[in-house]
């Protein structure tokens, strides 16, 4: 089964990230020794393609919080979850041990924020045309100490049942990095939502409903933010200087690898290759075989 959502820069510049969702059973069969929960996991295709967004809105994809900023409470007054700092040295030491054991590469750490963004306790703001908007900020810029140590965020909603006429966006109004919109088309039997990454560490999670929608039947609950301490596809290593732990970025591709993006002859093959996000914190690679 395939699902498609968008990662984009608002208001009009969209890029689509296609991903496959598979069950844990399928993943365990393909990747022995890696324990996964029954939550849906996603295979993110490496190749980005230009596409239209899913779930049309009437304001060209611009988040409502940006479009109606003059009618809403300022950003600094929004409920905000600030991720507590983590020790990057400890994290990299743990990764070094995992790497020696042949485990999947970790790129983010999970931070539970259950109860802070829950539709049962939503604070809705109404704008002049009758639509209602519910927002929550997540700030992880200093999650690993320095502001440049955080690379991206992705999210796990433990409950997700969106109503027609409502959409969910996650965006940084300053950098214009955004993912979404997520709509009722993303409802699934597990009632969960695992998002792609958004290339920002200071975002707003926003649910917007059109006039007349009964928001009391929405069932949305944010469970966790996964905070990335290295870029997706780049492995960060510690130096050999003992306690100094100066960070070294090492691209995962070797000299003998072919960069399919720069070699059109490999276009059919690259469409079958994917980077797999496991529970939003680890990644590996895989491919489809006919």
């Amino acid at each position: 089964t395939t699902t498609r959502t968008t990662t984009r820069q608002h208001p009009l510049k969209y890029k689509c990230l296609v991903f496959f969702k598979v069950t844990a059973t399928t993943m365990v069969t393909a990747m022995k020794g890696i324990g996964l929960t029954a939550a849906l996991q996603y295979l993110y295709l490496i190749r980005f393609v230009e596409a239209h967004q899913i779930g049309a809105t009437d304001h060209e994809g611009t988040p409502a919080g940006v479009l109606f900023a003059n009618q809403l409470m300022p950003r600094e007054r929004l409920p905000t979850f600030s991720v507590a700092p983590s020790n990057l040295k400890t994290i990299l030491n743990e990764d070094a041990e995992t790497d020696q054991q042949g485990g999947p590469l970790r790129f983010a750490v999970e931070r539970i924020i259950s109860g802070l963004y829950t539709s049962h306790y939503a604070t809705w703001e109404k704008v002049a045309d009758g639509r209602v908007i519910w927002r929550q900020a997540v700030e992880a810029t200093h999650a690993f100490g320095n502001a440049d140590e955080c690379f991206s965020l992705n999210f796990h909603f433990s409950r997700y049942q969106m109503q027609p006429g409502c959409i969910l966006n996650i965006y940084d109004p300053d950098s214009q990095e955004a993912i979404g919109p997520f709509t009722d088309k993303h409802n699934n039997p597990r009632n969960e939502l695992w998002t792609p990454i958004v290339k920002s560490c200071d975002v707003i999670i926003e649910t917007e409903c059109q006039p007349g929608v009964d928001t009391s039947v929405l069932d949305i609950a944010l469970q966790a933010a996964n905070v990335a301490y290295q870029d997706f596809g780049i492995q960060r290593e510690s130096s050999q200087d003992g306690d100094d732990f100066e960070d070294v970025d090492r691209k995962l591709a070797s000299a003998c690898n072919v960069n399919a993006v720069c070699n059109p002859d490999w276009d059919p093959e690259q469409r079958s290759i994917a980077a797999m996000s496991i529970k939003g914190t680890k990644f590996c690679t895989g491919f489809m075989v006919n």
Side-chain angles (χ1 to χ4, degrees):
T1 305
T2 62
T3 306
R4 185 171 66 184
T5 189
T6 61
T7 178
R8 69 184 193 281
Q9 291 186 331
H10 61 74
L12 294 175
K13 188 176 181 180
Y14 304 106
K15 287 190 176 180
C16 178
L17 177 58
V18 183
F19 55 90
F20 297 88
K21 62 182 182 182
V22 297
T23 63
T25 303
T26 305
M27 292 294 291
V28 169
T29 301
M31 302 170 63
K32 293 182 179 179
I34 300 177
L36 302 177
T37 67
L40 296 179
Q41 308 300 329
Y42 298 98
L43 301 182
Y44 292 84
L45 283 188
I46 292 174
R47 185 171 185 266
F48 287 82
V49 296
E50 294 296 328
H52 294 291
Q53 67 182 101
I54 289 180
T57 67
D58 59 356
H59 44 80
E60 301 294 342
T62 304
V66 175
L67 188 67
F68 301 104
N70 63 338
Q71 301 181 45
L72 301 170
M73 74 174 68
R75 182 179 183 179
E76 57 268 19
R77 290 179 53 196
L78 288 178
T80 301
F81 174 76
S82 297
V83 177
S86 298
N87 190 313
L88 186 57
K89 173 182 174 181
T90 300
I91 292 171
L92 294 177
N93 278 336
E94 293 171 350
D95 289 349
E97 294 180 5
T98 302
D99 192 45
Q100 291 178 351
Q101 298 169 5
L105 183 64
R106 183 171 61 170
F107 71 96
V109 291
E110 181 187 53
R111 291 295 175 259
I112 301 297
I113 53 178
S114 179
L116 292 183
Y117 195 80
T118 304
S119 55
H120 296 167
Y121 305 103
T123 299
W124 295 94
E125 299 178 83
K126 191 174 183 178
V127 296
D129 68 357
R131 79 186 72 198
V132 291
I133 301 159
W134 163 41
R135 296 176 297 158
Q136 162 86 42
V138 176
E139 204 284 321
T141 305
H142 297 280
F144 305 104
N146 298 326
D148 60 351
E149 301 288 6
C150 180
F151 287 82
S152 67
L153 295 170
N154 69 84
F155 297 90
H156 172 212
F157 291 82
S158 57
R159 299 201 313 272
Y160 183 86
Q161 279 295 307
M162 187 63 75
Q163 297 302 307
C166 299
I167 60 174
L168 184 146
N169 281 298
I170 302 174
Y171 62 94
D172 180 342
D174 294 329
S175 71
Q176 299 188 345
E177 292 289 339
I179 53 175
F182 303 96
T183 72
D184 60 300
K185 292 181 174 61
H186 294 90
N187 294 345
N188 59 77
R190 293 187 180 275
N191 298 326
E192 286 185 298
L193 177 69
W194 297 79
T195 77
I197 62 172
V198 56
K199 297 279 287 185
S200 172
C201 294
D202 187 2
V203 302
I204 293 174
I205 301 174
E206 174 183 287
T207 301
E208 170 196 348
C209 293
Q210 295 297 315
V213 174
D214 183 3
T215 58
S216 67
V217 297
L218 282 175
D219 189 17
I220 300 173
L222 178 62
Q223 172 70 16
N226 299 310
V227 187
Y229 55 92
Q230 57 186 348
D231 209 354
F232 199 81
I234 302 292
Q235 182 175 1
R236 171 176 274 181
E237 295 180 332
S238 296
S239 71
Q240 303 298 319
D241 298 333
D243 292 335
D244 289 341
F245 281 87
E246 295 177 359
D247 299 327
V248 178
D249 286 339
R250 177 174 65 84
K251 293 186 178 181
L252 300 183
S254 300
C256 61
N257 296 146
V258 175
N259 187 343
V261 176
C262 300
N263 292 271
D265 292 343
W266 285 84
D267 186 68
E269 288 80 7
Q270 73 162 314
R271 292 173 181 269
S272 70
I273 306 300
M276 299 181 291
S277 170
I278 305 172
K279 297 179 67 176
T281 60
K282 301 177 182 178
F283 61 66
C284 194
T285 57
F287 58 93
M288 298 178 66
V289 178
N290 187 345

